[in-house]
């Protein structure tokens, strides 16, 4: 059943997710939304990993392991990111990314 | 052969005296330092006279006077051949100068004990005097041109220090500065002259330079420098140095102002010794001038002649007695220069040379006397201006008599010494160039006039109201006056024609009455005119001044030479050269350096915007970069 | 340990000693002791050097030692002295010694001040003893960098600006210099053999003329910036004006001499062909420096600016003489470095002392100081007279030697330049006498001046030592001149071969 869906379908979905993520990362001002966009990017990568693994090397499992790895890392990253965002909020009383420009020249 | 080794102490004693007084003078009692300085000079004077006696009168046989190198050591090596020595050389003119310097300097030392008494900086004064004596002695006994140049600078500095002695008086400071800078400018000519001369001759030594049979004279004349005869260029430049020191026109402007210094200093430095250094310089190099570059001697003669006339005219209208004497000095030095300029070389041809040295000697005596007399007058009246004086003969009998003697001497009345020396100059000029002779003849009359104008106004004339009765000076001041008066009277009988001649051989002279009588007459006429004009107050001078307004105003303002110099220095050098350079440095050179910094700064200002702190901008740049690189990579991959 | 290394070790030990001091009094005591030892060492070096020469040692560099330091690049700590460096070390010893006493009353961060000052002098001493290009450059940088701190922290006026300007311009020079030195290094195997930084080794090699043409200007300008070569001199007035007294003294007195010494020992000595070819261009630049600096000085109103411009003029004369490339002129150049070092140090010391009392350096605000502080004023007059070249003081000896040397060139170009340069002595007289007349003579300008006290003992010591040195050289220059002359012989031989070719 699965084999009737060609690989390109998965790739299209992941590409779309990736660029939606990029778009969101570049255009959203809210840090939470940006974080969500990053999650989208990560997940598009996950789809790629799983899909390629399934279609190219069906008898191996590295792709799956890697995506699990990414999910775990993403979870940790989300935790750290949210912590940072909360700190930013405490400092600036909002979470607009354009306000957070202390690290300029 | 007599050992003259001791003569090295003649310059050295004043030098040590300078060190002692300079370092410890401040802690001594003023009078002690005065006595110490005078004592030092007494010793050198004795040594000088002894050396002169030995040199002139203890020679073996009747041969010519030789140049004797009493001592000489290398001071600095310049190149393999060229080295600067310092030492003592004795020959007729240096021995004669030793006498002049010693006599006048010693008199001035004694005189100053009275004159400067109680002045602030008494010991400083004596240490400067010692410095001057040291430099002047070393100058006259110099064995080589470069030693002379060094001492030349040193006398210049001593002169500067002594002119600015009353340093709280702005005019004295300015005068000192002016004197130093003007002579320094002239010295530049001297220096370049030495550079050229040493380059073509490879030596500084007078013995080689002035040896008539030496290589310098026989071969040096053929060399050229920038298209001119090298030796002429060099000697002209050296003469400029001499002209600066001897206040020849147009480098004379410092001398009248130098009268801001204490009067004994004017007598010593600016009348008797330092200002004749220029004459001495030309005399020292005389064989070189005469045999190497006779055309330069013509310049010397005319510069001297013109200066003597020019200064004499100015002297007629000045009111400050020291300035009258200063212009008179210029005029008399003009005589000496002229005499050198018209002189020949050897035996009787060298009459001008002999006359010049003779006049230098007598002039030193009577001019020092005049200045010291003027000092005595100023000391009692507390003013330099003739308008504040009159009828002083009653109050200052000794000063009066000695001053009269000096005036008669300078006016050329026999048997005073000035007559003999001036007469020889006139004879020499007459046989060489009639124009110069007539100028000098006229100047002799003018000299007599202005000197007796001074004399009559100060000692006769109407008595002005004095704040307190003028009184005769103390003995320390009058004794030098009397000694110098004796010297003025009798120094005319010294047989210069036997002793101080251009080539060391004596020759016979006889008075040419055809020239002597007119010169005496013109002197008497000058005195008579002054008598009519100034003995009693009369309206004639004022009327004359009114009728010759242009000449009078010009003369009174010294023909505006000072103003011309002020214009050149202030307006041109200061405002047109120095100020633009300072501006250029700030606004062009420095600004271009700052400009480089500014460009760097502004570029970094531009590119720092990239570091905006905006996370998403970084993201844009990053992603666009990745995409661009990807495309580039793909493109290259498929080609 | 060999004798020469002591010149680096003693300052370092002094610095270590200073670190352990508790207050200003101890600090300056330790500094004074350290630098007195250093001065004694320099004097001893002179005598040892002369004794060695008299004993017939004719090698080019005496007391030479070499410790390999960085083997793969053939860098070594290679030291040795000839008469020229001995003279320069003597100068540095005197100036740093007097500098310590001139900064006797620095209270603000005195420990750090003396550390930086002595660190700087370490660099200078190291520079003069080293005969390895890399080591030389290292010490050069050590000498230049502390200047930034010294001016930036202890300076006056727009000190940050001046410190920045000075450091950046000198660093720019260093950058050029580094390229030049590396250029020499990579061409040092022209005759086969290893690449080397050793000056004496390189001198034997004939660096290809193309390389010389490229690297001579770099090296010369690189050093020239420090030697105030027109138009790279503008750090000097600002830098000197802002620097504290002892720093001005060291900087004008010694540091600027690194430029002249380097230009001579590295640029000239190692690349004579290019030097001979390009001399005309740099001669014009230095000729401009000489006259221009003097004219510039006439117009200034700040004492330190006057001296900074006067230094431009005098240091211009040094480079001018070096470029004349004959023994007499080179001798004059070295003498002028020493003489200028001493007299300008004296000048800056005195200016600092006057400033400490009047709190102004503007000449039109001062007047009549002779009356209230005769010792300082007389010293100032002596410094002025030395500067305008009075016989009997050191400036005269140096200037005359230069002029006579420069005049040895028979062609018109060199002669006219010489005469122009000689004309600067008149201009010098003008600005010196103007200053003397303005600030020392005349009536006392301000009632408050009457309260000033004259020189303290440490000020007397500082100025006295310098005056003795100036007058000593001025009165008896023969031994110094001969010592330098002797060491110049091998260098001049090399130059002469080039010129004949």
């Amino acid at each position: 059943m699965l084999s009737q869906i060609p690989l390109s379908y998965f790739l299209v979905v992941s590409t779309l997710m990736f660029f939606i993520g990029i778009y969101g990362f570049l255009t959203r001002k809210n840090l939470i939304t940006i974080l969500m966009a990053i999650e989208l990017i990560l997940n598009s990568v996950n789809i790629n990993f799983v899909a390629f693994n399934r279609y190219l090397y069906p008898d191996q499992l590295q792709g799956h392991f890697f995506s699990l790895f990414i999910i775990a890392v993403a979870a940790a990253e989300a935790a750290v990111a949210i912590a940072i965002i909360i700190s930013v909020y405490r400092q600036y009383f909002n979470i607009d990314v354009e306000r957070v420009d202390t690290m300029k020249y | 052969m007599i050992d003259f080794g001791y003569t090295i102490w003649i310059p050295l004693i004043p030098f040590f005296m300078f060190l002692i007084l300079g370092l410890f003078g401040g802690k001594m009692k003023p009078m002690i330092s005065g006595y110490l300085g005078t004592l030092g000079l007494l010793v050198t004077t004795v040594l000088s006279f002894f050396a002169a006696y030995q040199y002139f009168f203890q020679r073996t046989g009747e041969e010519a006077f030789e140049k004797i190198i009493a001592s000489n050591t290398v001071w600095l090596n310049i190149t393999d051949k060229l080295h600067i020595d310092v030492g003592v050389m004795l020959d007729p003119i240096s021995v004669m100068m030793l006498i002049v310097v010693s006599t006048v300097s010693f008199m001035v030392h004694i005189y100053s004990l009275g004159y400067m008494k109680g002045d602030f900086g008494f010991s400083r004064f004596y240490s400067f005097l010692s410095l001057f004596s040291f430099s002047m002695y070393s100058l006259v006994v110099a064995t080589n041109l470069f030693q002379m140049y060094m001492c030349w600078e040193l006398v210049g500095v001593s002169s500067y220090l002594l002119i600015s002695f009353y340093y709280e008086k702005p005019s004295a400071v300015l005068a000192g500065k002016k004197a130093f800078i003007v002579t320094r400018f002239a010295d530049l000519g001297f220096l370049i002259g030495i550079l050229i001369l040493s380059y073509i001759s490879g030596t500084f030594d007078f013995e080689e330079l002035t040896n008539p049979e030496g290589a310098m004279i026989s071969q040096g004349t053929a060399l050229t420098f920038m298209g001119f005869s090298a030796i002429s260029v060099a000697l002209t430049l050296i003469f400029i140095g001499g002209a600066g020191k001897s206040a020849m026109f147009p480098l004379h402007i410092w001398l009248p102002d130098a009268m801001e210094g204490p009067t004994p200093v004017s007598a010593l430095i600016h009348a008797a010794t330092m200002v004749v250094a220029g004459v001495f310089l030309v005399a020292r190099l005389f064989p070189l001038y005469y045999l190497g570059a006779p055309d330069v001697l013509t310049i010397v003669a005319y510069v001297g002649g013109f200066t003597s006339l020019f200064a004499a005219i100015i002297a007629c209208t000045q009111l400050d007695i020291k300035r009258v004497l200063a212009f008179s000095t210029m005029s008399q030095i003009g005589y000496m220069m002229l005499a050198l300029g018209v002189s020949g070389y050897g035996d009787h041809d060298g009459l001008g040379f002999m006359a010049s040295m003779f006049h230098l000697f007598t002039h030193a005596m009577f001019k020092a006397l005049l200045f010291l007399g003027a000092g005595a007058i100023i000391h009692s009246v507390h003013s330099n201006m003739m308008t504040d004086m009159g009828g002083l003969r009653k109050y200052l009998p000794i000063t009066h008599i000695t001053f009269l003697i000096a005036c008669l001497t300078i006016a050329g009345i026999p048997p005073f010494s000035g007559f003999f020396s001036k007469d020889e100059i006139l004879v020499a000029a007459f046989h060489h160039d009639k124009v110069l002779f007539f100028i000098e003849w006229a100047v002799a009359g003018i000299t007599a006039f202005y000197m007796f104008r001074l004399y009559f106004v100060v000692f006769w004339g109407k008595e002005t109201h004095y704040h307190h009765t003028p009184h005769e000076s103390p003995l320390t001041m009058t004794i030098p006056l009397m000694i110098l008066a004796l010297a003025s009277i009798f120094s005319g009988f010294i047989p210069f024609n036997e002793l101080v001649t251009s080539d060391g051989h004596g020759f016979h002279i006889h008075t040419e009455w055809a020239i002597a009588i007119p010169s005496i007459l013109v002197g008497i006429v000058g005195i008579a005119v002054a008598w009519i004009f100034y003995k009693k107050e009369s309206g004639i001078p004022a009327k004359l001044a009114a009728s010759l307004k242009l000449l009078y105003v010009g003369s009174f303002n010294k023909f505006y030479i000072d103003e011309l110099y002020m214009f050149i220095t202030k307006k041109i050098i200061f405002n047109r050269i120095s100020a633009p350079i300072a501006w250029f440095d700030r606004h062009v050179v420095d600004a271009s350096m700052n400009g480089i910094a500014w460009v760097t700064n502004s570029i970094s200002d531009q590119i720092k915007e990239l570091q905006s702190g905006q996370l998403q901008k970084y993201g844009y740049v990053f992603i666009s970069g990745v995409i661009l690189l990807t495309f580039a990579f793909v493109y290259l991959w498929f080609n | 340990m060999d004798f020469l290394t002591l010149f680096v070790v003693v300052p370092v030990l002094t610095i270590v000693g200073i670190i352990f001091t508790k207050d200003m009094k101890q600090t300056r005591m330790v500094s004074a002791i350290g630098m007195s030892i250093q001065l004694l060492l320099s004097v001893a070096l002179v005598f040892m050097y002369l004794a060695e020469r008299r004993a017939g040692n004719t090698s080019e560099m005496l007391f030479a030692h070499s410790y390999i330091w960085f083997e793969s690049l053939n860098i070594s700590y290679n030291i040795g002295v000839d008469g020229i460096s001995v003279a320069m070390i003597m100068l540095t010893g005197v100036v740093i010694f007097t500098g310590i006493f001139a900064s006797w009353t620095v209270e603000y961060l005195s420990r750090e001040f003396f550390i930086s000052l002595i660190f700087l002098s370490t660099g200078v001493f190291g520079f003069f003893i080293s005969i390895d290009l890399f080591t030389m450059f290292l010490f050069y940088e050590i000498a230049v960098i502390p200047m930034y701190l010294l001016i930036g922290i202890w300076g006056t006026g727009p000190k940050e600006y001046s410190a920045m300007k000075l450091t950046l311009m000198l660093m720019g020079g260093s950058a050029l210099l580094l390229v030049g030195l590396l250029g020499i290094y990579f061409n040092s195997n022209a005759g086969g053999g290893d690449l080397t930084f050793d000056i004496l080794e390189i001198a034997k090699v004939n660096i290809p003329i193309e390389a010389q043409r490229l690297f001579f200007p770099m090296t010369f300008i690189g050093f020239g910036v420090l030697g105030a070569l027109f138009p790279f001199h503008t750090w000097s007035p600002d830098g000197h004006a802002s620097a504290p007294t002892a720093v001005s003294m060291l900087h004008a007195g010694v540091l600027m001499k690194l430029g002249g010494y380097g230009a001579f020992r590295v640029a000239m000595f190692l690349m004579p062909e290019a030097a001979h070819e390009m001399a005309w261009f740099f001669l014009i630049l230095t000729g401009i420096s000489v006259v221009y600096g003097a004219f510039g000085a006439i117009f200034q109103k700040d004492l330190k600016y006057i001296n900074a411009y006067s230094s431009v003029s005098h240091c211009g004369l040094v480079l001018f003489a070096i470029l004349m490339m004959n023994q007499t002129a080179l001798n004059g150049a070295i003498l002028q470095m020493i003489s200028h070092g001493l007299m300008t140090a004296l000048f800056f010391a005195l200016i600092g002392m006057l400033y400490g009392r009047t709190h102004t350096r503007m000449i039109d605000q001062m007047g009549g100081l002779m009356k209230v502080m005769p010792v300082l004023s007389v010293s100032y007059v002596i410094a002025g007279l030395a500067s305008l070249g009075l016989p009997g003081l050191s400036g005269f000896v140096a200037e005359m030697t230069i002029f006579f040397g420069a005049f040895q060139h028979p062609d018109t170009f060199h002669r006219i330049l010489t005469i122009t340069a000689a004309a600067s002595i008149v201009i010098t007289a003008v600005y010196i006498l103007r200053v003397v007349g303005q600030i020392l003579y005349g009536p006392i300008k301000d009632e408050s001046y009457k309260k000033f006290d004259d020189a303290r003992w440490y000020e007397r010591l500082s100025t006295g030592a310098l005056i003795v040195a100036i007058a000593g050289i001025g009165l008896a220059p023969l031994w110094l001149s001969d010592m330098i002359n002797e060491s110049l012989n091998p260098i001049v031989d090399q130059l002469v071969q080039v010129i004949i070719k």
Side-chain angles (χ1 to χ4, degrees), chain B residues 75 167 184 199 578 585 590, chain C residues 165 233 292 295 309 388 442:
Chain B
W75 187 71
Y167 57 78
R184 181 86 178 180
Y199 182 74
S578 190
D585 196 62
D590 194 25
Chain C
K165 183 172 185 174
H233 63 274
Y292 174 97
F295 270 120
Y309 278 100
L388 59 76

Side-chain angles (χ1 to χ4, degrees), chain B residues 49 51-59 61-67 90-97 99 284 347 350 353-355 357-358 361 490-509:
Chain B
F49 272 87
Y53 168 73
Q54 281 198 321
Y55 184 81
F56 282 126
F57 303 112
Q58 289 200 334
R59 58 179 167 159
E62 281 297 304
E63 74 275 21
F65 290 108
E66 299 278 334
K67 288 185 168 62
L90 299 177
D91 74 341
I93 57 173
S94 68
V95 174
M96 178 209 77
M97 283 302 285
I99 298 294
R284 174 55 89 206
D347 281 347
F353 181 92
M354 183 284 273
M357 293 298 107
F358 196 5
F361 189 88
F490 295 112
S491 60
F493 299 105
I494 298 174
F496 265 68
N497 53 326
E498 297 293 337
L499 302 176
V500 185
T501 52
S502 55
D503 59 350
H505 294 281
F507 59 90
H508 287 289
I509 48 166

Side-chain angles (χ1 to χ4, degrees), chain B residues 111-371:
Chain B
Y111 182 88
S112 305
L113 289 174
Y115 186 85
M116 299 296 289
K117 193 170 187 173
D119 264 11
F120 173 72
F122 190 80
S123 52
R124 187 163 50 97
F125 181 80
Y126 271 92
S127 72
F128 288 168
L129 275 189
S130 302
L131 174 64
F132 173 76
S133 307
F134 155 68
S135 337
M136 196 67 209
Y137 280 128
S138 332
L139 193 155
V140 298
V141 298
T143 55
N144 60 72
L145 199 52
F146 202 88
Q147 184 188 350
M148 198 161 170
Y149 177 73
M150 292 199 283
C151 303
W152 191 268
E153 292 290 322
L154 281 173
V155 287
V157 161
S158 342
S159 155
Y160 163 73
L161 291 171
L162 283 164
I163 295 171
S164 313
F165 181 75
Y166 298 118
Y167 57 78
E168 284 175 79
K169 214 166 74 178
S171 59
V173 177
L174 283 180
K177 196 166 93 176
K178 185 172 176 181
F180 193 83
I181 290 172
V182 173
T183 47
R184 181 86 178 180
F185 176 72
D187 293 350
L188 179 63
F190 190 2
L191 175 62
I192 297 171
I194 295 178
L195 285 177
I196 299 175
L197 204 58
S198 68
Y199 182 74
I200 54 183
S201 69
T203 178
F204 294 119
D205 280 348
F206 287 128
E207 270 190 304
E208 291 176 50
L209 282 176
T210 59
N211 184 358
E213 283 92 38
M216 183 62 206
I217 287 169
S218 54
Q219 295 154 20
T221 43
L223 296 165
T224 59
F225 178 75
M226 291 180 194
F228 300 98
S229 158
I231 215 166
S232 298
V233 174
L235 289 178
T236 312
L237 287 167
I238 289 177
F239 173 64
I240 289 176
K245 202 62 106 196
S246 290
M248 290 290 102
F249 179 86
L251 295 166
H252 63 277
I253 54 160
W254 63 273
L255 186 59
D257 287 13
M259 297 301 135
E260 290 289 344
T263 309
V265 170
S266 311
L268 175 61
I269 301 184
H270 305 118
T273 55
M274 186 192 82
V275 289
V276 296
V279 179
F280 180 75
L281 174 64
V282 177
R284 174 55 89 206
L285 292 174
F286 188 74
L288 199 54
Y289 271 97
Y290 184 73
L291 302 168
D295 40 343
V296 180
L297 272 188
T298 317
I299 301 178
V300 174
Y302 275 89
V303 168
F306 180 76
T307 308
S308 68
L309 180 65
F310 175 84
I313 292 173
I314 295 178
C316 293
T317 57
Q318 296 301 307
L319 293 175
D320 181 327
I321 55 173
K322 283 181 75 181
R323 288 192 183 229
V324 174
L325 293 179
F327 281 106
S328 151
T329 306
M330 274 169 63
S331 175
Q332 299 298 314
I333 297 171
Y335 267 104
M336 301 172 206
M337 281 289 185
L338 176 132
L340 284 175
V342 299
S343 176
Y345 183 74
D347 281 347
H348 197 275
D349 289 342
L351 180 67
F353 181 92
M354 183 284 273
S356 176
M357 293 298 107
F358 196 5
H359 199 58
L360 193 159
F361 189 88
T362 56
H363 171 257
M365 301 303 155
F366 66 69
K367 190 50 70 66
L369 174 56
L370 281 171
F371 266 107

